[in-house]
Amino acid sequence: MKRNNLFKSTSFLRVVLLLSLFVILLIGGFTYRHISNLTNSEEIVVKTYNVNLELEHIVSYLRDAESAHRNYIVTKDRFYVNTYLNAKEKVNRAFLKLEDLVGLNSNQQKNLTVLNKLTDSLYNNFSKTNAFVTDNTTNTETFKTLFFEEKIIMDSIRRQSNAMFDLENKLLNEKQNEYQSDLRFTPLFFYLVLLATLVLIIMAYNKISNDLKKIKAKNDQLLIFEESTNQSEIIGKHGNWVWHIDSNKFIYSDNLYRLLGEEPQSFEANFDNFLKFVHPEDVDKLAEDLDNMIDAEELPFVNYRIVQKNGSIKHLKAYAKSFYSADGQKRLLGNTSDITDEIESFLELEERNLELERNNKELSAFNYAASHDLQEPLRKIQTFISRLEEKESDKFSDPGHQYLDRIKSASARMRLLIDDLLQFSRTNKPDKEFVSADLNELFENAKQDIVEIILEKKAQITSDTLPRAKVIVFQMQQLFLNLLSNSLKYCKKETVPIIEINYSKVKANDDPLLSKAPKSFYHKITFSDNGIGFDQKYAGKIFDLFNRLHNKQEYSGTGIGLSICKKIIDNHQGFIFAKGEINIGSVFTVYLPE
Amino acid sequence: MQTDYIHIILADDDEDDILFFTDAFDELKINTKVNTFKDGEELMDYLNDDQSRMPNVLFLDLNMPKKTGIECLKEIKASHKMSEIAIAIYSTSASEEDIEKTFVLGANIYIKKPGDFKKLKKLLSEVVSINWQYHTNGLNKDNFLLSL
């Protein structure tokens, strides 16, 4: 867009320049013509003047000759004969000049010939009358006729001369008129052309000054951009470079030098100088990558290490893209980043992850082994207690019986804890396989596991039809079992437990509890009971391991069951929430991704 | 040589468990003869001996020194002579892994050692009264673990 404007502006200026050149040439041509017209006109005037002058000379010489001849007739002095003969020579010279001046004008040539003949006939007449003078017969009629003819010829000469004079003046006027009409419009034309040129020049000036302003603004922007690029290179720890492939010249940005641990532009930018910094193990690979760059249009990231002069090793990552200048020269624009921090923190993270994984594994193994190995001595204690009870109970005193009962219930509780812990650690194991399962079936299985308690408490359990879902089968069954057991365990005494299971499919956006859910749709399953409930302020803590809201004399929980539920739901990328009201009941809501 | 008692062998390294086991059979008053071995090697030595009488039911603990229950099970199932012995796994753990593994290897029933002597007696009397032929035909992973 902007480039287009600039392009337009250049072509505009070019047009203005061409027009101006054309105008100047035009003006030059016209001026030349004008001046040459003026010169011609002046020449013609001079010529006309000369023609008139010579004609007057001729007429005057002839007049002198005539008067000399008369004087001869009167005085018979030969001196006068010489005088008019001399005049003839002068007349002849004037004729020669006139012939030159008249040039190719045929009318004047004819006139001149006529004048010449008249002159000749005048001198003939002189000769004829001279004979009468010599014979002294001037009183004769013939002489008088001849003498009178002389006057007539002289008059003709004057007329002829005047005619030539008039013709010459007429020619002069014609020519002058001709030039005049040519020249009349020239000043106006000049003026108009000059005006147009001025307008063009002013427009060009305007355009140029506008363009200059724009270029200046662009330059300012460019400066700002350059500065911000510098800043971002320093902050982002990257530098850029340009490789003019045809001339094999490099340009490195300031920060590229800094990445190498050098002062900006402190050495000549070329590949050999750069290679001095590259880690010896990476030199070959980088050189090869660079060779590939010459042909490729775009290159994947190239990773290599450099060694700064102070010995510290940095990891760099480079990326390049080819770029053609307006004249078709291939250049490679590259960007090199210092990714040392990234790599170091990645390695650290990886290390920590491994450690965490190791710790988790150890913990899980420890948990499993501990609860597993604890079972054995406990089982024996319990078996021995049952032996004692069976075989030796009649030997016990009353307190002895009491102690035995206490031991029994304590060890029973220990067994419960161990079983739950074992269950908890098992939900940690990695061999989780998601399969599509009918949740109704899993729910029935869970119910079957505790059918005795259900019958004993006469609990009423109603359930909506549940969907199929991709789940870890034994874990989902465990979840149902734990939630059911929980409701049965915390039922109100002397009240029939009622447990309701409801199902609906929900959109994550529509459910306030799912505001942070990553999936769009969820299966929502709620377990509502009419049990003793709990204070809502414990709703968050209820899923914590070993967290109990009731003392163990009243209710025999271990504080693990709901933690297992939470863990199972976590494994399924779902959510579980608890809502309670004391003496009204509890609602557990489970969301499973569809 | 046909005899009128049921020959039972228990392989278990735990003396307490051996005591419970033998006591239980004593009290059960079933006509049984119980032999016990303290590790897998002792057991296999006995079974490999041509003179030995093969048991009707072998109770096999999994966690034993020298030779584990799993190793014994593999050897027994590989031997033609012993393949007819009904094998009851008798273990503290009832982990999915162990149950799965022993089922695949061909054990006939899996008993988790109970924490109550009465229950133990009940389990053992159940096991010795099983018609193995019938039981084995209908055996699957769900009824493999014996529960009362």
Side-chain angles (χ1 to χ4, degrees), chain A residues 397-451:
Chain A
S397 62
D398 280 352
H401 275 295
Q402 261 182 32
Y403 298 153
L404 197 64
D405 281 347
R406 287 287 169 90
I407 296 170
K408 239 171 90 179
S409 75
S411 52
R413 181 159 174 74
M414 180 133 185
R415 156 136 328 231
L416 206 63
L417 271 166
I418 289 171
D419 282 350
D420 282 358
L421 267 180
L422 203 58
Q423 192 69 49
F424 187 75
S425 72
R426 269 181 196 156
T427 50
N428 229 4
K429 293 187 116 187
D431 51 343
K432 294 157 194 159
E433 200 186 337
F434 283 85
V435 288
S436 173
D438 183 358
L439 295 186
N440 296 298
E441 205 177 295
L442 302 185
F443 181 68
E444 280 309 313
N445 289 347
K447 244 162 73 175
Q448 213 52 49
D449 284 351
I450 46 166
V451 70

Side-chain angles (χ1 to χ4, degrees), chain A residues 8 22 112 123 186 208 314 382 434 474-475 487 573:
Chain A
K8 268 189 195 159
F22 176 72
L112 197 63
Y123 273 84
T186 313
I208 289 172
K314 300 277 175 191
Q382 285 186 308
F434 283 85
F474 85 91
Q475 288 195 2
S487 289
Q573 273 91 46

Side-chain angles (χ1 to χ4, degrees), chain A residues 97-109:
Chain A
K97 275 187 187 171
L98 265 180
E99 250 170 59
D100 248 13
L101 286 168
V102 165
L104 293 172
N105 192 312
S106 54
N107 282 341
Q108 286 296 68
Q109 273 179 350

Side-chain angles (χ1 to χ4, degrees), chain A residues 1 19 126 168 343 445 498 504 580:
Chain A
M1 180 82 187
L19 277 175
F126 285 171
E168 197 63 32
I343 283 189
N445 289 347
I498 300 173
S504 61

Side-chain angles (χ1 to χ4, degrees), chain A residues 551-564:
Chain A
N551 79 43
K552 47 185 181 272
Q553 270 71 42
E554 276 180 295
Y555 295 97
S556 61
T558 55
I560 300 174
L562 288 178
S563 309
I564 292 174

Side-chain angles (χ1 to χ4, degrees), chain A residues 317-384:
Chain A
K317 180 168 82 170
Y319 170 77
K321 200 175 173 179
S322 63
F323 168 77
Y324 290 90
S325 65
D327 54 358
Q329 299 264 321
K330 188 174 179 178
R331 297 159 188 180
L332 218 58
L333 289 189
N335 199 303
T336 300
S337 326
D338 183 345
I339 52 165
T340 312
D341 292 350
E342 230 172 278
I343 283 189
E344 273 172 6
S345 60
F346 175 76
L347 288 178
E348 201 179 325
L349 205 67
E350 205 170 48
E351 183 64 29
R352 274 192 202 166
N353 264 343
L354 280 176
E355 200 181 305
L356 210 63
E357 219 167 90
R358 243 185 344 258
N359 280 351
N360 254 342
K361 253 186 201 160
E362 267 170 27
L363 206 64
S364 183
F366 171 78
N367 196 356
Y368 182 78
S371 32
H372 190 259
D373 292 349
L374 279 171
Q375 278 196 348
E376 200 168 285
L378 180 63
R379 180 175 49 77
K380 285 184 194 160
I381 291 168
Q382 285 186 308
T383 314
F384 278 120

